[in-house]
Amino acid sequence: GDYIATLIAYCAQNGKKSLRYIERTALSLFDEGVDTLDSLNAYIKHKEDSVENITRIRRLIGASWRRRTARGKKAVVGAEHA
């Protein structure tokens, strides 16, 4: 109930309203061990914090006006986990 509602709200907030997308996301999260409402909320918080940190870094380096390349995204995300 609440898990599914939270997942749907999170996906919709990110512009992903396709039922197939939500289903694939749910299966992927389950495979990652995100199978309770608490773990889903922690996952969402982590994702939101990551986006916020990436946005800050992009602003600091003056890259907020362009899209990140896959390589640039990987470098920033990798730096967060170091």
Side-chain angles (χ1 to χ4, degrees):
D2 289 339
Y3 182 97
I4 298 298
T6 301
L7 179 60
I8 291 170
Y10 173 70
C11 290
Q13 175 184 335
N14 289 301
K16 307 294 186 180
K17 298 176 183 177
S18 158
L19 195 53
R20 180 67 183 136
Y21 178 87
I22 294 167
E23 179 184 24
R24 285 191 320 250
T25 301
L27 292 172
S28 175
L29 290 173
F30 182 79
D31 288 345
E32 293 178 32
V34 182
D35 55 1
T36 65
L37 182 58
D38 286 340
S39 62
L40 177 60
N41 285 327
Y43 171 86
I44 291 170
K45 171 111 174 71
H46 174 75
K47 285 294 196 180
E48 289 172 346
D49 289 349
S50 293
V51 168
E52 187 177 315
N53 288 336
I54 289 169
T55 301
R56 281 189 196 137
I57 291 168
R58 290 179 69 196
R59 284 188 185 132
L60 285 171
I61 63 173
S64 60
W65 55 270
R66 64 177 178 86
R67 294 179 59 93
R68 284 173 286 147
T69 63
R71 184 176 178 188
K73 182 178 178 182
K74 191 174 189 179
V76 172
V77 172
E80 289 182 340
H81 298 290

